[in-house]
Amino acid sequence: MEKITLDNKPIFVTGAAGFIGSNLVKRLMNDVHGATIVGIDNMNDYYDVSLKEYRLKEIEKTDTDNSWTFVRGDIADRQLIDSLFEKYRPAVVVNLAAQAGVRYSITNPDAYIMSNMMGFYNILEACRHYPVEHLVYASSSSVYGGNKKVPFSTDDRVDNPVSLYAATKKSNELFAHCYSKLYDIPTTGLRFFTVYGPAGRPDMAYFGFTNKLVKGETIKIFNFGNCRRDFTYVDDIVEGIVRVMAGAPERKLGDDGLPVPPYAVYNIGGGQPENLLDFVNILQEELIRAGVLPQDYDFEAHKELVPMQPGDVPTTYADATALERDYGFTPRITLREGLRYFAQWYKAFYHI
């Protein structure tokens, strides 16, 4: 592994107004020194844009000696990406921009091809023409599809995606491997497992459930509650990303005298899958504790057990031992702690 210092470097973060991207930028602004941090986001309305604007304002509040530039634009715009790389010459690139969501990919496939395929290709081409020290990019636990073996390991074959979203993320890993091999670009893919926390995505279960419960609506628990998810708190994800940014796969030659691709893929997950029914019970308790829901809330009257949705998988469970081995990192925040932070944020943000 090649150690990389992040201080006094240009760093490019795509999806910077997104949930993970904005938290990463805040962390870099606080912890890195003398860096030029450039973020890009197209600010699309897949979910409430005011949340993205809120996250950007939180970044602006950071007291830092780093320079911060935000560009409203799309990574699918090749000309724009090339011009930004030419201007800033980033040393480290973190590609978090993507059209997210499994179910949305069934009804709006075009958005996934443009952002997740064309957009990522543009980033790779820019890294090729304006050489970088390390490209870190978001993959997803969804690449495991209906994998029966648990926990999911990066050594498992992942050739059977069950959604277009998953197929685009697997394609990103293949693209990255190709560019690592052909152009000796160090790339690391991170397979995220169900990321949650304050100011997260409203289409994620914990946020969507909360919105419905507050309105007195019924929440649907898929697969009759027989789903397990490896929830990962956003600060744990960011900690993992920052450590990975600072350690790139080593450039070296193989026995044939040709470069061995400086390529790696890791899981980042809690390593502790939670049953969906246990998860909603903890969520309910923390929402009551924070005062988002009243003490006497009749939770049983507001939940409905329903069959599995197309594109969903019954279990996600990360084997994150490789990340611990190579970067000394294991997620720390328990589900109850994380949902408590979310409930407190939700009460403050929505003035309940």
Side-chain angles (χ1 to χ4, degrees):
M1 186 186 298
E2 291 183 16
K3 291 286 182 192
I4 294 174
T5 175
L6 301 177
D7 292 338
N8 306 305
K9 296 258 179 84
I11 299 169
F12 187 51
V13 179
T14 76
F19 177 34
I20 299 172
S22 60
N23 278 284
L24 173 63
V25 171
K26 276 197 296 186
R27 170 70 184 272
L28 293 172
M29 296 278 273
N30 283 320
D31 287 12
V32 175
H33 300 288
T36 300
I37 302 168
V38 181
I40 186 171
D41 200 294
N42 66 8
M43 303 293 283
N44 71 27
D45 61 359
Y46 168 62
Y47 60 80
D48 185 0
V49 178
S50 68
L51 265 175
K52 299 178 184 182
E53 289 164 348
Y54 163 81
R55 296 177 191 137
L56 289 174
K57 282 180 189 149
E58 290 295 299
I59 292 171
E60 296 286 350
K61 289 179 188 171
T62 314
D63 184 19
T64 182
D65 67 347
N66 301 294
S67 111
W68 162 242
T69 301
F70 177 70
V71 177
R72 184 170 181 147
D74 201 314
I75 62 168
D77 181 344
R78 173 74 176 272
Q79 213 170 355
L80 174 62
I81 293 302
D82 285 350
S83 69
L84 290 172
F85 270 69
E86 185 170 6
K87 181 176 180 181
Y88 293 104
R89 305 289 170 127
V92 178
V93 176
V94 186
N95 185 63
L96 299 171
Q99 179 57 60
V102 167
R103 289 169 202 147
Y104 191 67
S105 70
I106 294 168
T107 53
N108 293 271
D110 290 11
Y112 291 77
I113 300 303
M114 288 308 296
S115 183
N116 303 12
M117 304 287 282
M118 291 304 299
F120 189 56
Y121 163 73
N122 290 342
I123 295 293
L124 285 167
E125 276 288 294
C127 291
R128 169 190 169 192
H129 293 294
Y130 304 94
V132 299
E133 293 179 51
H134 196 189
L135 166 63
V136 180
Y137 63 94
S139 186
S140 166
S141 62
S142 68
V143 300
Y144 290 106
N147 202 357
K148 298 286 191 287
K149 175 190 150 294
V150 292
F152 298 162
S153 164
T154 50
D155 295 327
D156 298 340
R157 286 182 69 90
V158 286
D159 298 330
N160 299 292
V162 296
S163 70
L164 180 66
Y165 171 68
T168 63
K169 287 300 185 181
K170 171 60 180 170
S171 298
N172 286 174
E173 296 179 6
L174 295 173
F175 281 17
H177 186 277
C178 175
Y179 274 71
S180 289
K181 173 68 177 169
L182 290 175
Y183 309 113
D184 211 22
I185 301 168
T187 68
T188 304
L190 297 174
R191 293 175 178 171
F192 298 144
F193 281 70
T194 316
V195 188
Y196 74 102
R201 280 179 23 218
D203 63 319
M204 297 293 282
Y206 70 99
F207 206 136
F209 284 175
T210 302
N211 286 340
K212 288 192 167 182
L213 292 170
V214 166
K215 292 177 190 165
E217 296 173 8
T218 301
I219 62 170
K220 290 181 174 168
I221 301 172
F222 294 109
N223 203 28
F224 306 103
N226 297 315
C227 279
R228 294 196 306 159
R229 289 288 177 269
D230 203 340
F231 293 95
T232 321
Y233 189 67
V234 66
D235 287 3
D236 279 334
I237 289 284
V238 167
E239 175 68 28
I241 295 172
V242 170
R243 291 195 189 201
V244 168
M245 286 169 72
E250 191 179 349
R251 290 182 169 107
K252 58 189 175 189
L253 297 178
D255 295 337
D256 58 3
L258 295 172
V260 175
Y263 166 90
V265 173
Y266 294 92
N267 289 331
I268 301 192
Q272 189 69 50
E274 304 277 352
N275 182 282
L276 213 47
L277 284 173
D278 294 338
F279 153 75
V280 291
N281 280 332
I282 294 170
L283 176 63
Q284 172 214 195
E285 288 165 8
E286 293 305 326
L287 291 173
I288 289 171
R289 180 191 181 97
V292 173
L293 296 178
Q295 290 287 335
D296 59 353
Y297 194 85
D298 185 358
F299 185 60
E300 291 302 314
H302 292 90
K303 73 178 183 189
E304 179 187 358
L305 303 180
V306 297
M308 188 77 105
Q309 287 257 111
D312 263 358
V313 294
T315 299
T316 63
Y317 181 2
D319 176 353
T321 51
L323 193 70
E324 187 173 11
R325 177 195 70 218
D326 294 349
Y327 294 93
F329 172 67
T330 307
R332 304 259 182 263
I333 308 287
T334 65
L335 183 61
R336 184 172 291 280
E337 282 178 282
L339 288 176
R340 183 166 298 172
Y341 298 143
F342 166 72
Q344 291 165 348
W345 169 83
Y346 190 98
K347 180 176 174 63
F349 184 76
Y350 290 107
H351 309 296
I352 291 172

